[in-house]
Amino acid sequence: MREDGLLPIALVTGPANAGKAHVVLDAVRGHVAHGEEPLLIVPTEADQARYRRELAEGGLALGVRVERFEGLLSIAVARAGLGEARIGSLTRERMLARLAVARPGMAAALARLVAELETQRVTPARLRGALRACEIAGEQQLTLERVCDAFERYHEALAGIGRADHELRVTRALDALRRKPALWGSAPVLLYGFDDLTELQLDAIVTLGAVVGARVTVSLSYEPGRVVFAGRAGTFQRLAPLAETHTELGPRADHYASASREALHHLERSLLGDDAARIDAGGAVRLLEGGSPRAELELVAREVRSLLDGGVPGEEIAIVHRAPDTVAGLLGEVLERYGVPYAMRRRGLFAHTALGRGLLGLLRCAVGEGKSGDLLAWLRAPGVLDRAELADRLEASARRQGVEDAEGARGLWEAEHWPLDRIDRTCEAAAAGVPALADALVGELERLFCAPRRSEAAVLGADELVEARALVAGRRALEQLRELARAAPALAPSPEDLIDVLGRLELEGARHSGGWADGAVGVDRTGAVLVVDPLSLRARRVRMVFLCGLIEGVFPAPARPHPVLGEDERRRLAHASGLVLRGEPDALAAERYLLYALASRPEERFTLSWHTAGEDGTPLAPSLFLDDVCDLFSPGLREGALHRPAGTAPGERIALADHKAGLSEQDAPAGLPLMRGSAPGRGGAGARPRPIRPPREERVLAELRARVLWSASSLESWAGCPVRWFVERLLRGEDIEPDPEPLARGALAHAVLKQTLERLRERTGSARLTPASVGLAKRLLGEALIEQEQAHPLSRSPERVPGARRRLAAELERYLESAAEQASPLEPTYLELEFGFGGEASDGRSGPGVGTAGDVRSGQGAEEPHPLPPLDLGDGVLLRGRIDRVDVGPGGEAVVYDYKARSAPPSARWVRDGQWQVALYMRAVQALLGRTPVGGFYQPLAGRDIRPRGALSSDGDVELDVVRTDRVDGDALQQLLDECVAAARAAAGEARSGALTPRPDTCAYGGGCAYPTICRCGR
């Protein structure tokens, strides 16, 4: 007790909702009334803002300082008068990584252990002595010896550079206050909202209250004898003997809404208790089950949307997840889709900002580790380019050419634009040492941030604040590492270390907000739904709480033993040397308390949700915590659960678990229709999503009606599935990726065969393949393969090219040998014959403007020097294409060949399977060249059977070695061509009408829908 009769430590305990906040705030007002300036310490920034506002509304805007615990520790350091400069956590981790020669993950674990040791004032010498007294053998002994060596050298390095880390500064400050209590002054300290305290926080409370004599009031959620408080009993037992007063408050239920009071108070009082009575949950506790993570979050979003529409303010709704960062992207997407404004704190990384990506890209390019993506990240950083499309063009060019390294991409850039000298300057700074490199990077960081805002007095928006935080964090980290390099050159990081440090650098106070129309919101803006973890909600109440992700392995979270010094080693150290290092807390007990804390926060409704399978369909088990809650209520709680199956489209009906739940449509939340019957996955069938609807936008319909010029492949694609055609042909953007390897292989094969036959004609006067000319043809093939591969690369992966080249050469040689054995009497006359390119369509429309992607012009046949017009199929349908080969006989007879990768369809399946290309090309040869088409074949170039398949007229004089069933009489051949032309014309007519009818049986190869998320045909 102090001389003035006031008690230094006052402990206030009680269950949740016992009124502890009123006691603490009354104490704050009492201190102010006595002319003192108390410090109110709360857990989070949001709590700071709330209690500052609440105190201001009560007339206490001045005289009270509201801080988080870090603020209290900073005040203690300042009043102790310590002059040591502080190193940051990144610098400490980097120093320990160098001293212990540890990987980044192990260095982070070692840094946590060092912080723990310093908090408990364990010196390196004491740790070494304890290790020597302990009987730990084998690899673990060597590991702990290395840890001790690194710890010792770390403290020596800190002493050498005159700096200290956070834990050292705080413990030294607390020790200084213990020696000279007058340094603190007379400021009272009051703590509210903490359900547990770290070792450093407990040390500060004990120092200020029991040693310095400052009046300290601590409120704790604790009630003896209850399972839910077992994880917090240790903190209470450590403070209770030091408290001069202990105020125990009883449970209260007056803050609950009247309609929910009985159920929610029962939940708070009986959770995890023995033999609890079961009562009706009413609407105060609800269950939501999704078939996938997205389905679960969509259920939550629809519930929240209905509450907002019903007049519940957004700030009175909290969505809670045990690990919000793991679902932040998906949850944000779903909430924005349902128009729910939200405020969410996310783990922000420097590397995830535009500024960070740009700086890291420049650094990687400068030190020689860069890929083309790193160069593009820097070019796209704010202020580097005035025209962002230049970077897009570079990316498209690099991807198409398979350029993956930064040097190659830089060469492409500088071939068309200006030199990128800043990369060279950064490289020179790296060669001069880490201090020079850090200075150069700080300058680059500031330039990147300021360049787009030069000569402007702009107020930073929400997105720009993230970039400002990246600027501050990046500059601070670089300055710390620069000072470390100057003070201790032996510990100086390498440029590669800088890349690693900046890549893992976290931003302080990073927040994300979304769902607002103007997009410029702050995390505390009125109307935003809170998205938080359980610890962030412990000091405030809300009307509605949605607890998501109740899955085993998520909540409760599994225990994570320390990777360096586990529980067994700690026990041995304590037994052998008396050095007691407090181990990891009881993970399950801590998780139980978090569940209790969350269950006590809502005033009107507590909603629990989970999902039954992952996105890949892997079954997942619901958390046992769900059973703990359901055990308190009647079976109607489970029976009334709402279910949403995986893949359900927005706006579809949601299943009620069982019709016996007795809910009516009026019981459902607004905007959330119910579907009666068993839930999907429990014996009932869910509603199938509606298939895609035909386009209704007039501009799209006008484009379809105006489509005149077609390719054969485009018409075949429509016949296979109109939806697939719509996605791949109409919606398709400009390609920026290299051609897939099968397409690249096919393009090279076509080019090689064309050149081989042309060179054969030049050498021998004929392009015919015969036993006498096949040897020369194979040599010409080898030359053509080498020449054409530059224009048609087989793969962008260099290691795959030799094998792919050998395989293609073997297949093409096999084809030449097979063709020579057939000894066709016809002369290959037209090679890669194009028609319908370059000219004007007959109706005045420009041909190339309405073609299909992938129709690329190639060489013309030797006898056709002028571009050929398109083929008129009738009904205003024009055809263009490129015929691989046309062989011509002495009487003008023509046979068309179309190369295929493997299988070739017989003519009997052309109409049925929508394989019209050869038939349409035969009509083109007849109409545009004046030749008589007597046959057409698909020619496989690989596979077990490379015989050509198609149709050959048996009425003429042309004799070819073909499959017997491919011979047809002349009238049957003409009828086949007429049917194929009519089918192609009908397909074009369907496309003009916009009839997007899914055809899953013929959509993807082997059957099934190629785009199920777009088409939703159920196949």
Side-chain angles (χ1 to χ4, degrees):
M1 181 178 294
R2 291 165 46 119
E3 294 180 356
D4 57 11
L6 296 177
L7 302 176
I9 293 184
L11 187 59
V12 181
T13 65
N17 308 320
K20 296 184 293 295
H22 296 295
V23 174
V24 173
L25 292 180
D26 285 345
V28 168
R29 297 183 183 95
H31 287 303
V32 174
H34 284 84
E36 298 168 325
E37 296 183 355
L39 293 167
L40 176 60
I41 310 302
V42 293
T44 68
E45 289 183 17
D47 297 329
Q48 272 185 280
R50 178 194 174 192
Y51 284 102
R52 283 172 180 165
R53 184 168 56 251
E54 185 171 334
L55 290 170
E57 291 172 354
L60 295 179
L62 301 175
V64 182
R65 186 169 175 178
V66 183
E67 294 283 351
R68 292 182 298 149
F69 219 110
E70 285 302 309
L72 175 63
L73 298 179
S74 298
I75 294 171
V77 171
R79 295 190 179 184
L82 297 184
E84 290 176 308
R86 173 186 171 183
I87 66 167
S89 58
L90 277 173
T91 305
R92 171 169 63 189
E93 187 176 322
R94 183 52 46 191
M95 291 175 66
L96 288 168
R98 278 297 181 92
L99 293 169
V101 194
R103 301 185 304 274
M106 187 56 68
L110 183 56
R112 292 196 302 272
L113 177 60
V114 166
E116 178 187 343
L117 294 171
E118 290 173 343
T119 297
Q120 299 183 49
R121 294 172 177 79
V122 178
T123 63
R126 187 181 178 195
L127 179 61
R128 188 178 297 279
L131 288 177
R132 289 172 179 170
C134 185
E135 295 181 359
I136 300 177
E139 185 64 29
Q140 185 63 24
Q141 176 70 24
L142 296 176
T143 300
L144 294 178
E145 287 289 347
R146 287 196 293 268
V147 167
C148 193
D149 291 341
F151 187 27
E152 187 173 39
R153 283 180 289 170
Y154 171 67
H155 272 206
E156 291 172 354
L158 288 179
I161 62 178
R163 286 169 171 77
D165 57 32
H166 173 64
E167 284 73 19
L168 275 180
R169 291 178 81 236
V170 172
T171 54
R172 289 172 181 174
L174 295 177
D175 290 343
L177 293 176
R178 287 171 182 261
R179 291 190 296 269
K180 296 181 180 180
L183 293 175
W184 176 256
S186 60
V189 179
L190 303 98
L191 293 93
Y192 173 71
F194 294 91
D195 47 59
D196 200 14
L197 297 164
T198 66
E199 287 296 321
L200 203 58
Q201 291 170 344
L202 282 169
D203 191 355
I205 291 172
V206 172
T207 298
L208 295 177
V211 180
V212 173
R215 280 158 292 185
V216 178
T217 300
V218 182
S219 71
L220 289 176
S221 292
Y222 180 73
E223 194 173 11
R226 291 192 62 185
V227 174
V228 291
F229 292 106
R232 301 301 187 251
T235 300
F236 170 77
Q237 296 299 337
R238 292 179 65 181
L239 287 178
L242 303 176
E244 292 290 338
T245 63
H246 178 197
T247 303
E248 294 185 76
L249 303 176
R252 295 170 55 184
D254 52 355
H255 75 281
Y256 294 116
S258 58
S260 307
R261 182 171 295 132
E262 181 182 3
L264 293 181
H265 187 59
H266 174 67
L267 176 63
E268 186 273 320
R269 298 309 303 156
S270 304
L271 184 62
L272 296 175
D274 296 330
D275 301 325
R278 288 182 170 236
I279 69 171
D280 184 14
V285 181
R286 302 189 63 186
L287 304 180
L288 307 176
E289 179 189 79
S292 66
R294 177 180 291 275
E296 176 196 350
L297 297 179
E298 286 177 341
L299 268 176
V300 171
R302 292 188 62 156
E303 289 271 291
V304 172
R305 181 69 261 173
S306 67
L307 292 173
L308 295 175
D309 294 341
V312 178
E315 63 271 19
E316 288 299 323
I317 303 172
I319 299 175
V320 185
H321 194 281
R322 185 65 182 90
D325 283 336
T326 63
V327 297
L330 177 60
L331 179 57
E333 176 188 337
V334 170
L335 292 178
E336 290 173 8
R337 184 178 185 181
Y338 282 84
V340 175
Y342 65 95
M344 172 167 43
R345 179 182 295 274
R346 297 182 62 174
R347 178 176 174 266
L349 291 178
F350 175 78
H352 291 172
T353 64
L355 225 58
R357 285 192 298 270
L359 189 73
L360 282 167
L362 173 64
L363 182 55
R364 290 192 180 101
C365 292
V367 302
E369 293 186 354
K371 302 295 184 183
S372 59
D374 296 312
L375 180 65
L376 289 164
W378 174 60
L379 291 174
R380 286 180 170 134
V384 176
L385 297 179
D386 292 331
R387 296 171 55 199
E389 64 269 19
L390 296 180
D392 297 337
R393 292 175 187 171
L394 174 63
E395 180 180 12
S397 178
R399 285 177 177 268
R400 293 294 301 173
Q401 298 183 40
V403 175
E404 295 184 352
D405 62 296
E407 279 298 318
R410 181 179 178 181
L412 293 177
W413 173 272
E414 293 182 343
E416 297 185 10
H417 305 291
W418 58 89
L420 301 177
D421 297 331
R422 277 154 60 191
I423 297 178
D424 298 327
R425 290 196 291 270
T426 306
C427 185
E428 294 169 0
V434 171
L437 178 58
D439 285 336
L441 292 177
V442 168
E444 179 68 16
L445 195 60
E446 293 175 346
R447 196 194 70 78
L448 290 176
F449 183 79
C450 296
R453 302 172 181 85
R454 188 176 292 113
S455 303
E456 295 182 6
V459 177
L460 298 182
D463 294 338
E464 293 177 302
L465 287 175
V466 176
E467 300 299 315
R469 292 189 184 97
L471 170 66
V472 172
R475 183 168 58 190
R476 182 182 297 140
L478 289 168
E479 289 171 348
Q480 287 181 10
L481 294 173
R482 177 191 62 195
E483 294 307 313
L484 174 63
R486 289 175 177 172
L491 299 177
S494 65
E496 291 76 15
D497 290 334
L498 286 182
I499 293 175
D500 176 65
V501 169
L502 294 175
R504 295 186 296 112
L505 178 63
E506 292 190 22
L507 305 184
E508 294 182 4
R511 290 166 178 159
H512 174 76
S513 301
W516 295 94
D518 58 8
V521 298
V523 72
D524 297 321
R525 178 166 175 172
T526 301
V529 173
L530 303 175
V531 179
V532 293
D533 64 282
L535 289 174
S536 299
L537 202 63
R538 54 190 172 180
R540 62 167 299 181
R541 300 190 190 99
V542 290
R543 288 175 61 180
M544 312 287 180
V545 171
F546 289 82
L547 175 54
C548 308
L550 275 170
I551 301 297
E552 278 299 307
V554 177
F555 192 25
R560 292 181 174 86
H562 198 286
V564 179
L565 198 62
E567 290 295 323
D568 289 341
E569 289 79 16
R570 292 170 189 257
R571 281 194 294 269
R572 292 182 186 179
L573 285 174
H575 182 267
S577 67
L579 176 59
V580 178
L581 298 177
R582 296 181 180 89
E584 298 294 323
D586 185 334
L588 181 56
E591 297 294 293
R592 284 171 171 167
Y593 176 79
L594 289 181
L595 175 66
Y596 166 80
L598 287 175
S600 68
R601 297 299 87 195
E603 297 174 350
E604 291 186 20
R605 184 185 299 170
F606 186 41
T607 302
L608 303 95
S609 69
W610 69 98
H611 49 272
T612 58
E615 291 292 1
D616 59 354
T618 304
L620 298 174
S623 170
L624 293 177
F625 283 170
L626 184 65
D627 293 328
D628 292 328
V629 173
C630 290
D631 286 346
L632 303 178
F633 299 99
S634 60
L637 175 61
R638 280 191 181 275
E639 293 170 354
L642 292 180
H643 301 266
R644 185 178 183 85
T648 307
E652 293 189 18
R653 302 176 73 83
I654 297 175
L656 188 64
D658 196 297
H659 66 279
K660 292 183 294 183
L663 294 183
S664 65
E665 292 289 338
Q666 288 74 23
D667 297 318
L672 187 64
L674 300 177
M675 184 174 68
R676 298 292 178 184
S678 298
R682 303 196 178 198
R688 174 172 293 179
R690 297 180 188 172
I692 189 171
R693 295 179 179 178
R696 290 175 289 183
E697 174 63 40
E698 181 56 36
R699 289 178 298 176
V700 176
L701 294 174
E703 181 179 348
L704 291 173
R705 288 193 294 267
R707 181 172 287 265
V708 173
L709 195 59
W710 293 81
S711 69
S713 63
S714 186
L715 291 169
E716 289 178 347
S717 176
W718 178 275
C721 181
V723 177
R724 182 175 181 179
W725 177 91
F726 182 77
V727 174
E728 295 181 351
R729 305 282 176 155
L730 194 64
L731 300 182
R732 182 178 180 178
E734 180 182 357
D735 286 332
I736 63 172
E737 296 287 350
D739 288 337
E741 290 187 9
L743 290 182
R745 185 170 169 276
L748 180 58
H750 281 66
V752 167
L753 287 176
K754 177 178 183 293
Q755 179 174 318
T756 298
L757 295 179
E758 286 179 342
R759 295 272 177 92
L760 183 64
R761 180 161 46 207
E762 292 172 2
R763 296 281 189 93
T764 66
S766 172
R768 290 179 59 221
L769 292 166
T770 65
S773 66
V774 69
L776 174 60
K778 290 166 69 174
R779 290 194 296 273
L780 295 174
L781 176 74
E783 296 173 1
L785 189 60
I786 295 174
E787 295 177 20
Q788 293 293 332
E789 191 177 354
Q790 296 180 352
H792 305 280
L794 281 168
S795 175
R796 65 175 180 177
S797 301
E799 66 274 8
R800 294 180 56 85
V801 171
R805 185 191 301 118
R806 288 193 297 269
R807 183 166 58 251
L808 178 61
E811 291 172 350
L812 294 182
E813 287 181 1
R814 178 190 175 204
Y815 164 67
L816 294 181
E817 293 170 353
S818 175
E821 292 175 0
Q822 294 178 7
S824 169
L826 306 181
E827 176 68 25
T829 304
Y830 302 95
L831 305 176
E832 301 294 327
L833 174 67
E834 291 183 350
F835 62 95
F837 290 91
E840 294 296 318
S842 60
D843 63 352
R845 302 183 196 275
S846 176
V850 287
T852 178
D855 291 336
V856 182
R857 296 202 59 180
S858 185
Q860 288 290 111
E863 297 184 5
E864 186 54 49
H866 302 295
L868 292 174
L871 173 66
D872 190 348
L873 297 179
D875 294 341
V877 180
L878 304 179
L879 184 76
R880 71 173 179 182
R882 184 174 60 247
I883 308 174
D884 295 338
R885 200 176 89 216
V886 180
D887 292 2
V888 179
E893 308 92 340
V895 175
V896 171
Y897 289 92
D898 185 74
Y899 299 136
K900 288 291 185 184
R902 290 188 181 273
S903 61
S907 59
R909 288 167 39 194
W910 285 2
V911 177
R912 185 193 71 186
D913 294 349
Q915 302 279 346
W916 312 319
Q917 186 162 293
V918 165
L920 297 180
Y921 286 173
M922 291 172 67
R923 277 293 165 88
V925 167
Q926 181 180 22
L928 303 178
L929 299 179
R931 305 290 187 177
T932 303
V934 296
F937 295 92
Y938 291 102
Q939 174 63 65
L941 298 178
R944 297 180 60 183
D945 186 0
I946 60 171
R947 293 178 300 173
R949 297 303 308 272
L952 178 68
S953 174
S954 58
D955 295 349
D957 297 330
V958 175
E959 289 294 331
L960 296 176
D961 183 12
V962 299
V963 176
R964 180 180 58 82
T965 56
D966 287 344
R967 292 183 179 275
V968 297
D969 62 54
D971 293 339
L973 179 61
Q974 292 302 317
Q975 182 179 355
L976 176 63
L977 299 187
D978 290 341
E979 290 177 356
C980 289
V981 170
R985 194 165 53 235
E990 288 180 3
R992 287 174 175 175
S993 69
L996 290 186
T997 303
R999 295 171 185 166
D1001 291 335
T1002 57
C1003 181
Y1005 180 78
C1009 182
Y1011 300 98
T1013 58
I1014 297 176
C1015 182
R1016 301 194 301 276
C1017 66
R1019 294 285 299 280

